[in-house]
Amino acid sequence: MACHYRVAAPAAQVGQPEVKLGIIPGAAGTQRLPRLAGVAKALEMCAGGDPVKAPDALACGLIDHVIEGDLLADAIAFAREIVAKRERPPKSRERNDKLGDPQSNAAIFAAARAAAAKKARGLMAPLKAIEAVEAATRLPFDQGCQKEAGLFQECLFSDQSKALIHVFFGERAVAKIPDLPKDTPVAEIRQAAVVGAGTMGGGITMTYANAGIPVILREVSQEALDRGLATIRRNYDTSVQRGRFTQAFVDQRLALIRPTLSYEGFDTADIIVEAVFEGMELKKQVFAELDQAAKPDAILASNTSTLDIDQIASATSRPHRVIGHHFFSPANVMRLLEIVRGKATAPGVIATSLALARKLGKVGVVVGNCRGFAGNRMFGPYLREAQFLIEEGARVEDVDAALYQFGMAMGPMATSDLAGLDVGWRIRKEYRHLEPPGRRQPLVADRLCEMGRYGQKTGAGWYLYGSGRKPISDPEVDQIIEQCARDAGISRRSITTEEIVDRTIYALVNEGARLLEEGIALRAVDIDIIYLNGYGFPAYRGGPMWYADTVGLKKVYERICEFEQQHGECWAPAPLLKQLAEQGKTFAGFDSSRALFA
Ligand code: NAI
């Protein structure tokens, strides 16, 4: 931007992506950009971080010429034209004509701040970037640059920037699997098939179609198939209405989806994803059928959220081709794909799954096989503590507000209402016999389910829902909570925001440490990436394990020991956490020591 002119090829993109790493554009970027592109565009680019395509950059004046032909030859020709004019070339630092006036700028800055507060809640860098651009409109160029440098430094040394840089490298690190040789062959996925057109099967089908991969969708009845397809169409229609996709794009995608009631065509699929109801017997039956229908080298993936992949694989004659592909709801939107490797899963199936995740626009994280895998296994203690806090005296709204304020996309109670309280109810009933006798269990969620309050889908759960999806506090729930606490002899007290955050987030951290010990998660960063992309954990805190490092593991460990004394064995600290805390180490350091031995 310090050059006199800028030219670009038609496909070029330009941008100021620094905010994505928690910093702001430096080297006078925030001072020159508004002079070239105008204040509104500069704000959008510096505070949002998204790139701008060449035609748009030309329109706003950021570049001077788009070269359709030979880039170098035409750039030289453009330079010669300029020279021939024999005019003094414009210096961008001296161009003040686009800087606006205080009155019109006030509204532009207010709108930018409001947009940042909404889209980048809790993030510091976008606000600092806005402040820097504002300096460009108020101060002479050199003073504006000094202001920018000060703001840049503030961001550079912030915890937020360190966390976002950790996330940036983390997304690349998770693709490295220590025992997977680099040259493991990756199969091309040209044809996919999905079994089950429910909530998840429909979303998974859209994910494949959106990536341009033809997909066969199987259901058991015409009615279920029609329902599934209608939902897919409705979702696409919404995307068109919101301007996310064009109608032509949607028509192409829909044409890639082939509905069926049989296994016809399944022998052509390179991958088959099962998304039928969650139940071991049904999954085994479906996998036995897939074993007959699929070609020998097809990948057979299950979208189960809790069930044992090895047991599912045992229903086939080829457990080495079986793997878990755990998508998150809505599957066509959420970026996470938890890739669950079974005992027998072949390296090629894992490598192909990772490459496929990228092609589908997802972040694939490979985890081991256990109940709930990495993400949901950690989410259990998190939800448990949220409910215990409510029984002990915190209000439903207070728990949600504390965690929303911490940066979570949604509080735990609102999340439970969205996912459906009946889902956890069913899982609790199925696994109750495995719980150690006498251990405290949350009481209220079951009571709500017994009353038919399943959350948003029934218009009532932890909250009431009117015509919209906005949660409304319900005094009846408060009464149920008080009653449950009285019956169980739990004394109620006032609970601080700090306790709410510590108990829920440290419950994630403690279980995360166990996953690391057991090798279910390969590294702490894998857990972080799972939580950022699947559970709405704020990126600027780097993920639960990175956050614990930031707090200091000694402090986290001591707090967990306190909780153990107050609340019993469910808070027993993970041995790895104890060890790292006592040695003054971090989870991130544990990751790098593991990489050394890999
Ligand atoms: P759903 O109840 O919406 O859909 C299941 C569909 O499977 C139904 O349409 C049913 O007709 C169909 N089906 C049953 N047996 C079949 C068969 N033999 N062949 C073809 N289709 C058959 O269930 P949902 O929520 O989509 O869950 C599916 C799987 O995804 C479960 O294993 C669940 O644990 C998992 N999952 C669910 C998530 C969620 O948020 N709902 C998130 C991640 C995983």
Side-chain angles (χ1 to χ4, degrees):
M1 285 189 286
C3 295
H4 295 127
Y5 297 95
R6 283 147 297 279
V7 296
Q13 298 195 58
V14 291
Q16 303 269 267
E18 287 82 351
V19 278
K20 306 229 170 187
L21 296 182
I23 52 178
I24 65 166
T30 60
Q31 306 302 298
R32 286 202 167 90
L33 187 56
R35 287 177 160 84
L36 296 170
V39 177
K41 194 74 192 171
L43 281 173
E44 185 192 311
M45 290 176 70
C46 292
D50 291 330
V52 166
K53 295 203 168 91
D56 193 11
L58 179 70
C60 71
L62 178 50
I63 58 173
D64 302 282
H65 190 46
V66 172
I67 293 176
E68 302 285 345
D70 181 281
L71 184 62
L72 182 60
D74 289 4
I76 293 171
F78 178 77
R80 286 196 200 289
E81 253 175 58
I82 300 288
V83 172
K85 286 188 189 158
R86 297 192 172 277
E87 287 168 2
R88 179 175 176 268
K91 284 190 179 176
S92 47
R93 57 181 289 158
E94 290 169 1
R95 289 174 54 182
N96 294 338
D97 56 299
K98 287 191 174 175
L99 291 179
D101 57 79
Q103 220 169 4
S104 59
N105 281 345
I108 298 177
F109 284 110
R113 288 199 164 93
K118 195 163 165 225
K119 275 203 225 145
R121 183 168 57 90
L123 277 170
M124 169 177 134
L127 295 175
K128 298 287 177 190
I130 295 170
E131 207 178 326
V133 174
E134 199 167 32
T137 66
R138 290 191 172 163
L139 301 172
F141 183 79
D142 287 331
Q143 283 179 34
C145 289
Q146 276 172 14
K147 176 80 185 169
E148 179 197 85
L151 294 166
F152 183 90
Q153 292 277 330
E154 270 180 59
C155 291
L156 186 62
F157 296 109
S158 67
D159 281 345
Q160 289 202 356
S161 150
K162 286 178 199 146
L164 289 167
I165 291 170
H166 160 72
V167 174
F168 179 84
F169 288 113
E171 287 205 355
R172 285 144 188 87
V174 294
K176 297 190 185 89
I177 311 302
D179 65 337
L180 199 66
K182 271 207 184 81
D183 54 359
T184 308
V186 169
E188 174 111 34
I189 303 295
R190 292 188 199 89
Q191 174 72 54
V194 172
V195 190
T199 311
M200 294 307 290
I204 296 167
T205 300
M206 289 174 74
T207 304
Y208 274 95
N210 290 345
I213 300 171
V215 49
I216 306 168
L217 177 58
R218 176 183 193 255
E219 254 296 346
V220 271
S221 70
Q222 190 63 46
E223 197 197 341
L225 191 57
D226 290 345
R227 201 172 40 232
L229 287 168
T231 308
I232 291 176
R233 281 205 193 91
R234 205 171 43 245
N235 287 338
Y236 273 130
D237 285 346
T238 312
S239 298
V240 173
Q241 279 157 19
R242 292 193 181 152
R244 208 163 86 83
F245 294 149
T246 63
Q247 189 60 49
F249 177 90
V250 164
D251 291 344
Q252 276 170 6
R253 302 306 139 188
L254 282 170
L256 290 174
I257 301 171
R258 177 147 58 96
T260 176
L261 293 175
S262 69
Y263 283 117
E264 195 200 326
F266 270 56
D267 57 345
T268 64
D270 303 302
I271 184 163
I272 301 170
V273 188
E274 165 277 314
V276 302
F277 302 125
E278 185 84 338
M280 187 50 87
E281 283 321 304
L282 176 63
K283 300 267 186 204
K284 279 176 127 174
Q285 183 202 319
V286 169
F287 271 76
E289 289 166 10
L290 292 179
D291 199 26
Q292 300 298 314
K295 61 180 182 178
D297 60 349
I299 293 178
L300 307 182
S302 173
N303 182 50
T304 176
S305 38
T306 50
L307 298 172
D308 181 345
I309 293 295
D310 292 331
Q311 218 182 321
I312 295 175
S314 72
T316 72
S317 63
R318 41 175 140 172
H320 60 289
R321 304 301 302 172
V322 177
I323 194 163
H325 278 191
H326 183 206
F327 288 83
F328 287 70
S329 182
N332 52 314
V333 177
M334 295 295 282
R335 267 187 90 214
L336 179 62
L337 178 64
E338 228 181 3
I339 298 171
V340 189
R341 65 194 284 183
K343 248 191 342 248
T345 309
V349 172
I350 301 170
T352 303
S353 298
L354 275 166
L356 175 65
R358 262 194 306 280
K359 195 166 174 195
L360 297 177
K362 309 279 177 209
V363 203
V365 183
V366 176
V367 297
N369 181 28
C370 67
R371 194 172 112 205
F373 318 124
N376 281 348
R377 192 172 128 184
M378 285 168 65
F379 211 56
Y382 172 80
L383 288 181
R384 176 198 74 207
E385 286 306 310
Q387 294 181 62
F388 284 174
L389 284 158
I390 283 167
E391 292 169 6
E392 289 163 31
R395 294 177 61 236
V396 173
E397 303 79 338
D398 293 344
V399 171
D400 274 355
L403 286 151
Y404 182 77
Q405 200 54 41
F406 175 81
M408 300 295 290
M410 270 176 129
M413 318 321 287
T415 305
S416 304
D417 272 358
L418 177 65
L421 298 182
D422 54 318
V423 179
W425 189 34
R426 225 164 272 145
I427 295 173
R428 280 194 296 280
K429 278 197 256 188
E430 187 151 341
Y431 290 107
R432 190 146 290 160
H433 65 286
L434 297 176
E435 295 293 345
R439 182 178 280 190
R440 180 178 169 192
Q441 298 297 336
L443 304 165
V444 184
D446 287 0
R447 191 71 61 86
L448 294 176
C449 287
E450 285 157 14
M451 296 167 70
R453 298 181 68 123
Y454 292 173
Q456 283 192 19
K457 59 178 132 182
T458 56
W462 288 103
Y463 296 96
L464 275 179
Y465 296 88
S467 51
R469 277 187 292 177
K470 200 172 154 25
I472 304 161
S473 304
D474 187 354
E476 195 186 345
V477 172
D478 295 336
Q479 281 169 16
I480 296 166
I481 294 166
E482 280 165 31
Q483 184 66 49
C484 284
R486 244 195 321 274
D487 293 349
I490 299 166
S491 54
R492 299 195 21 107
R493 62 196 165 90
S494 117
I495 292 178
T496 62
T497 302
E498 188 197 2
E499 181 176 347
I500 295 173
V501 170
D502 285 358
R503 275 178 62 184
T504 47
I505 301 293
Y506 292 172
L508 287 178
V509 174
N510 203 32
E511 196 64 31
R514 288 186 201 284
L515 291 173
L516 279 176
E517 255 159 42
E518 293 169 27
I520 296 292
L522 279 169
R523 295 146 300 216
V525 68
D526 293 55
I527 296 175
D528 288 337
I529 298 301
I530 287 175
Y531 263 76
L532 299 177
N533 292 289
Y535 295 85
F537 201 93
Y540 62 82
R541 294 197 193 270
M545 309 313 272
W546 182 266
Y547 170 71
D549 279 352
T550 313
V551 173
L553 294 191
K554 184 166 176 286
K555 200 168 153 198
V556 174
Y557 170 67
E558 284 168 358
R559 191 85 165 120
I560 288 180
C561 291
E562 247 176 67
F563 293 150
E564 187 190 20
Q565 279 190 342
Q566 292 159 2
H567 304 285
E569 60 176 336
C570 64
W571 271 107
L576 177 67
L577 174 65
K578 179 173 192 280
Q579 181 198 323
L580 295 176
E582 283 172 353
Q583 293 171 349
K585 292 187 174 159
T586 58
F587 287 123
F590 180 71
D591 280 0
S592 23
S593 68
R594 276 197 168 182
L596 284 180
F597 296 111

